Amino acid sequence: EIVLFNYKAVVSTQSTGVLTHLLKGSTSGAIKELQKCTAVYQKHHHTLKHHRASLHTALGLYAMALPDALDNALAQFNAALKYTSEPEQVSFIKLNSAIVHIKQNLPPEQLNSLLESIEPGKMPNKCHSLKASSYCIQGLAALVEGRMKDAKSKLRETLVMANKADLNKLTSCAFVLLGDIFLKMENHRDAIEMVRSAHDIANRIPDVGLQAWSAQLLNTLYSRTGDETRAQEYETVRAKLSATAATEVETTVNSPEHCLLQWLDSEFPPSSMSMV
């Protein structure tokens, strides 16, 4: 559910629409926007070298939004790193790669090396959003490893930094992760407070992925506290969002544009070429 967006660091002007579609849960809209970008760059080959890292990064984010494409996401991020040395972009790509590593439960030595490279103090100077994102991912890693005290510390620092810069998505992510920690500690009152804040922010953004994630957790929390009415309310929200997402994913993976995920080398996929 955690996908980090930083428009300045990631994408060219032509592909900002990709990220807008992903926030809204429209993976089909995102891949169509990516196909449009590739069509532009195929007609103007001299511009591709300036934007190729952005395209691979956006494809990686697209893959992260799909249920069974984390391998593709990692491959796209690795491809992107071959085409950029810009500090903010490199940091952003590594931050999202770390999320993929955590979700895939890849070997600890791989994850630990990556986490060391994206420590808050190693983020580019004056890039507040990337530093806040680093704290969030370090907190997520600590939570997964069961280091609750460290996780809370990192996530609270995320909240401090995110609130200062009005980084709503990071704020919502930090709240829902803190809620998960309090749930594990059986502190249901604080957990509900955290996750309801996350859900409210997700609705305002709006961010469909965060809405579904927080609704699922609220369903669990209200069930644990015996409030079946509210539990059912959030289960209804979660079920509706999940059904919509499943339909959207089915449409997306069966689209001809979806083959762009296979683009890692110098040539575009043949079916993409035929659509130009």
Side-chain angles (χ1 to χ4, degrees):
E1 289 79 1
I2 299 178
V3 180
L4 304 176
F5 294 138
N6 180 316
Y7 289 76
K8 178 178 179 295
V10 182
V11 296
S12 58
T13 302
Q14 292 91 334
S15 55
T16 53
V18 175
L19 304 189
T20 301
H21 281 295
L22 290 177
L23 279 172
K24 295 178 180 179
S26 176
T27 49
S28 61
I31 197 61
K32 288 183 185 299
E33 286 290 334
L34 277 163
Q35 192 280 320
K36 291 178 184 177
C37 293
T38 63
V40 170
Y41 297 136
Q42 283 176 267
K43 290 179 179 179
H44 305 281
H45 289 274
H46 63 285
T47 64
L48 178 59
K49 65 180 180 180
H50 301 297
H51 301 288
R52 182 152 183 173
S54 294
L55 280 173
H56 283 300
T57 303
L59 278 165
L61 295 174
Y62 161 74
M64 287 180 74
L66 300 174
D68 300 305
L70 290 178
D71 286 341
N72 297 101
L74 202 55
Q76 289 295 335
F77 291 142
N78 288 336
L81 289 171
K82 297 177 183 178
Y83 295 98
T84 183
S85 58
E86 198 281 317
E88 288 189 10
Q89 193 169 41
V90 169
S91 296
F92 177 87
I93 294 166
K94 287 185 175 182
L95 286 165
N96 279 283
S97 294
I99 295 171
V100 175
H101 276 72
I102 292 169
K103 293 178 74 171
Q104 285 193 303
N105 196 28
L106 293 176
E109 57 272 16
Q110 291 184 29
L111 176 59
N112 292 337
S113 176
L114 188 54
L115 289 174
E116 287 178 10
S117 73
I118 56 169
E119 289 177 351
K122 294 181 180 178
M123 291 296 99
N125 290 335
K126 299 182 180 179
C127 195
H128 190 89
S129 62
L130 289 177
K131 188 172 183 180
S133 299
S134 174
Y135 274 114
C136 188
I137 293 172
Q138 301 285 347
L140 171 63
L143 170 59
V144 170
E145 294 173 4
R147 294 181 286 110
M148 298 303 179
K149 184 177 180 180
D150 191 26
K152 284 194 290 183
S153 174
K154 295 291 194 301
L155 292 169
R156 282 170 175 160
E157 187 61 34
T158 303
L159 285 176
V160 170
M161 297 192 70
N163 286 333
K164 286 181 180 178
D166 199 26
L167 301 172
N168 289 330
K169 184 176 178 68
L170 270 179
T171 300
S172 184
C173 285
F175 271 136
V176 79
L177 288 171
L178 281 167
D180 194 21
I181 290 172
F182 286 125
L183 170 60
K184 287 177 169 57
M185 298 171 63
E186 298 189 358
N187 182 347
H188 297 142
R189 186 187 66 178
D190 287 345
I192 288 172
E193 181 181 346
M194 293 289 160
V195 185
R196 285 188 64 175
S197 295
H199 192 69
D200 289 344
I201 295 169
N203 286 334
R204 291 199 303 269
I205 293 175
D207 185 310
V208 173
L210 279 170
Q211 288 171 8
W213 186 16
S214 54
Q216 180 179 10
L217 199 50
L218 284 168
N219 166 251
T220 299
L221 283 163
Y222 282 121
S223 293
R224 294 276 183 92
T225 57
D227 191 336
E228 293 302 328
T229 300
R230 287 187 174 177
Q232 185 56 50
E233 174 188 342
Y234 286 105
E235 170 56 21
T236 301
V237 172
R238 184 210 61 77
K240 182 178 179 180
L241 290 170
S242 296
T244 301
T247 301
E248 178 69 18
V249 166
E250 183 177 2
T251 300
T252 301
V253 299
N254 289 313
S255 68
E257 297 89 355
H258 183 65
C259 70
L260 282 170
L261 270 188
Q262 305 307 317
W263 174 53
L264 298 170
D265 300 315
S266 60
E267 296 294 332
F268 287 97
S271 57
S272 174
M273 292 289 289
S274 67
M275 291 186 287
V276 177

